[in-house]
Amino acid sequence: GQQVMQIPQYQHVQEGEDFTTYCNSSTTLSNIQWYKQRPGGHPVFLIQLVKSGEVKKQKRLTFQFGEAKKNSSLHITATQTTDVGTYFCAGLNMDSNYQLIWGAGTKLIIKP
Amino acid sequence: KAGVTQTPRYLIKTRGQQVTLSCSPISGHRSVSWYQQTPGQGLQFLFEYFSETQRNKGNFPGRFSGRQFSNSRSEMNVSTLELGDSALYLCASSLDGGPGFGNIQYFGAGTRLSVL
């Protein structure tokens, strides 16, 4: 079935370093959403990308949607302790009966 | 506007018992989705309800069931609990057509179920 592969599973960074997580779909997506889950919390919506090649920025966060609409990335510049958590992508494929397909998440860990 | 409310927040059950979890969506939201989250397993989709009808279903056994009421509140039931059912169960609500139509999902704080 349709899958959205998200890598890496974990990323350890020093505070101030950059962080990137990638999502790759086996099929073309209509759109992709990104969510953040803080430790002990619940997922919170960050952004939605719809157009091929779309790039959106939220302060230090940059989101990209690939030209073929099969991949997406989230890049955080100069990580801070408030960025700690797990980042999930969720892609929508109209062929999957209008069901969101979730990536497994990337956990951002700040090294002490 | 109140957020998504899930009750109870914590639950301890023993194997073989059944459990019912409740979710009250944001006012005006008609789509409610349920997810199971275990450490290292991400979010596993259980099912989605819209206007009292199950619209989508994930790959879970029939022991997992749900329903939605006319006021959009939803309940999830797990019968004959197994140890592996221990998890955080999250409910999410969406406007109108739901996540399958590109709508944002708003999650509740979840119900943490422990099966002993």
Side-chain angles (χ1 to χ4, degrees):
Chain A
Q2 288 93 4
Q3 289 188 21
V4 172
M5 303 299 294
Q6 188 171 0
I7 57 170
Q9 189 175 2
Y10 302 93
Q11 189 165 3
H12 295 75
V13 299
Q14 297 278 5
E15 188 173 3
E17 291 183 336
D18 292 355
F19 162 85
T20 306
T21 173
Y22 302 89
C23 285
N24 293 290
S25 170
S26 55
T27 57
T28 303
L29 300 171
S30 301
N31 61 52
I32 193 159
Q33 297 177 348
W34 285 91
Y35 292 78
K36 175 185 178 182
Q37 184 174 22
R38 292 180 186 272
H42 57 275
V44 174
F45 173 80
L46 293 175
I47 210 158
Q48 178 168 261
L49 305 172
V50 179
K51 299 176 184 175
S52 168
E54 189 169 15
V55 178
K56 286 189 177 181
K57 294 190 176 185
Q58 290 179 348
K59 297 183 181 177
R60 294 176 295 102
L61 278 61
T62 302
F63 303 84
Q64 294 189 343
F65 202 9
E67 293 290 340
K69 300 182 75 173
K70 286 187 173 183
N71 56 74
S72 182
S73 65
L74 158 58
H75 180 82
I76 302 177
T77 304
T79 54
Q80 299 175 359
T81 55
T82 54
D83 297 324
V84 164
T86 301
Y87 293 84
F88 293 96
C89 63
L92 180 61
N93 183 333
M94 294 304 186
D95 294 337
S96 63
N97 195 29
Y98 297 91
Q99 183 176 320
L100 272 182
I101 309 297
W102 288 78
T106 296
K107 191 170 185 178
L108 169 57
I109 300 163
I110 303 280
K111 297 176 189 175
Chain B
K1 207 176 212 182
V4 178
T5 304
Q6 289 188 249
T7 56
R9 290 293 313 279
Y10 303 92
L11 208 48
I12 299 175
K13 292 285 187 179
T14 57
R15 278 183 301 174
Q17 287 187 310
Q18 74 161 13
V19 66
T20 299
L21 312 181
S22 179
C23 173
S24 293
I26 292 172
S27 178
H29 286 194
R30 293 193 294 161
S31 167
V32 175
S33 298
W34 288 90
Y35 295 88
Q36 181 195 67
Q37 187 173 38
T38 52
Q41 290 295 317
L43 289 162
Q44 304 296 315
F45 172 73
L46 281 154
F47 27 66
E48 182 210 354
Y49 285 87
F50 179 78
S51 292
E52 302 179 65
T53 301
Q54 187 182 86
R55 183 160 60 180
N56 273 308
K57 190 177 188 305
N59 296 321
F60 277 81
R63 300 185 296 108
F64 292 81
S65 63
R67 59 178 175 168
Q68 188 179 33
F69 302 95
S70 58
N71 61 357
S72 294
R73 190 178 72 85
S74 178
E75 287 183 347
M76 189 193 100
N77 184 275
V78 188
S79 63
T80 319
L81 284 166
E82 300 177 359
L83 294 178
D85 296 333
S86 294
L88 178 67
Y89 289 88
L90 291 161
C91 159
S93 75
S94 298
L95 272 172
D96 299 333
F101 292 84
N103 290 300
I104 298 166
Q105 291 194 284
Y106 297 86
F107 285 82
T111 295
R112 188 164 295 281
L113 172 65
S114 297
V115 182
L116 306 178

